[in-house]
Amino acid sequence: AQRVTQPEKLLSVFKGAPVELKCNYSYSGSPELFWYVQYSRQRLQLLLRHISRESIKGFTADLNKGETSFHLKKPFAQEEDSAMYYCALSPALNTDKLIFGTGTRLQVFP
Amino acid sequence: GAGVSQSPRYKVAKRGQDVALRCDPISGHVSLFWYQQALGQGPEFLTYFQNEAQLDKSGLPSDRFFAERPEGSVSTLKIQRTQQEDSAVYLCASSLAAGYSNQPQHFGDGTRLSIL
């Protein structure tokens, strides 16, 4: 079964602390992995995707196929990072549908 | 407009009524997706269109749910004989290309549906 697991509903850190939002997936093939973010009163938007191997707003995520994980990391959290973060998987078949995790709310305190 | 537009933003209906939710994708976007997001959950895939063709409707929870995109642009999600469990935010997303390219999906603000 295709599934994305985000074990933490809420992650609270102080400004300047490192952040790691966990994501594990279950899929038998070679999926594409994404992180989407939803800031307060804004729509869901793409943060980054594993095939790009880029850093966006200081965030990075590395696909670990052995551990079936795609954790999102940032060395120094900022208050403006406070948001809801969703990990998502695309089966990369003939549709681009996304399978989302339940999301992790990140709170960064001053 | 610059982004995906959904209407109405909020919809309240009595159990048993039919509802229709509209999605206006970004101009020129081939792919269109509908997702259902229940409270405290992530979005769940409902259906996918490539232009006017509905290529995947595996996520539609029952035959009360019907989606169309007759001219390959605007899409409507219709729910017949609504039930309380249909209460959710319905998200529409569009992307430029189709298939393996996995272009980023651009989401609308969603329609929050409440069934009384």
Side-chain angles (χ1 to χ4, degrees):
Chain A
Q2 304 160 359
R3 187 169 55 245
V4 175
T5 302
Q6 294 180 252
E8 303 140 329
K9 279 194 172 298
L10 174 65
L11 183 62
S12 299
V13 300
F14 286 102
K15 176 183 172 182
V19 168
E20 182 178 65
L21 287 81
K22 291 184 168 47
C23 173
N24 287 89
Y25 66 90
S26 172
Y27 181 64
S28 57
S30 295
E32 297 199 40
L33 275 296
F34 305 82
W35 277 98
Y36 278 79
V37 61
Q38 188 167 27
Y39 300 102
S40 180
R41 295 186 176 83
Q42 294 187 27
R43 56 187 62 183
L44 196 59
Q45 58 186 284
L46 178 66
L47 180 63
L48 55 79
R49 49 196 301 192
H50 90 271
I51 60 172
S52 301
R53 302 185 65 81
E54 58 194 345
S55 173
I56 303 293
K57 299 184 179 182
F59 284 97
T60 58
D62 290 320
L63 180 60
N64 185 322
K65 292 186 178 180
E67 296 183 356
T68 60
S69 69
F70 188 57
H71 303 327
L72 183 68
K73 300 177 184 179
K74 185 169 182 176
F76 308 103
Q78 302 299 314
E79 289 179 67
E80 56 265 29
D81 295 328
S82 296
M84 197 74 186
Y85 291 80
Y86 293 96
C87 182
L89 170 159
S90 177
L93 297 174
N94 59 355
T95 76
D96 295 338
K97 71 178 182 183
L98 294 170
I99 298 166
F100 286 88
T102 51
T104 297
R105 179 168 298 282
L106 174 64
Q107 288 182 334
V108 181
F109 294 109
Chain B
V4 176
S5 177
Q6 291 188 247
S7 61
R9 287 294 308 276
Y10 304 93
K11 176 70 178 176
V12 179
K14 292 183 179 179
R15 188 174 54 183
Q17 287 183 330
D18 298 348
V19 298
L21 312 179
R22 177 189 168 105
C23 173
D24 213 326
I26 294 173
S27 178
H29 276 197
V30 169
S31 298
L32 185 145
F33 305 82
W34 284 98
Y35 295 86
Q36 180 191 59
Q37 186 172 20
L39 189 64
Q41 301 296 314
E44 290 196 7
F45 170 78
L46 293 177
T47 187
Y48 161 66
F49 289 86
Q50 186 180 118
N51 294 307
E52 69 278 3
Q54 189 175 19
L55 298 186
D56 187 347
K57 52 182 182 180
S58 61
L60 295 177
S62 77
D63 59 7
R64 297 186 295 105
F65 286 71
F66 171 77
E68 60 183 3
R69 194 186 184 197
E71 297 178 359
S73 56
V74 171
S75 177
T76 303
L77 176 67
K78 297 178 180 178
I79 310 174
Q80 297 177 324
R81 304 181 305 281
T82 52
Q83 304 292 316
Q84 283 193 319
E85 61 262 28
D86 299 335
S87 296
V89 175
Y90 290 84
L91 296 170
C92 178
S94 69
S95 67
L96 185 59
Y100 273 94
S101 63
N102 259 315
Q103 293 291 310
Q105 293 187 23
H106 299 264
F107 283 81
D109 287 322
T111 293
R112 184 176 296 277
L113 176 64
S114 298
I115 305 300
L116 305 178

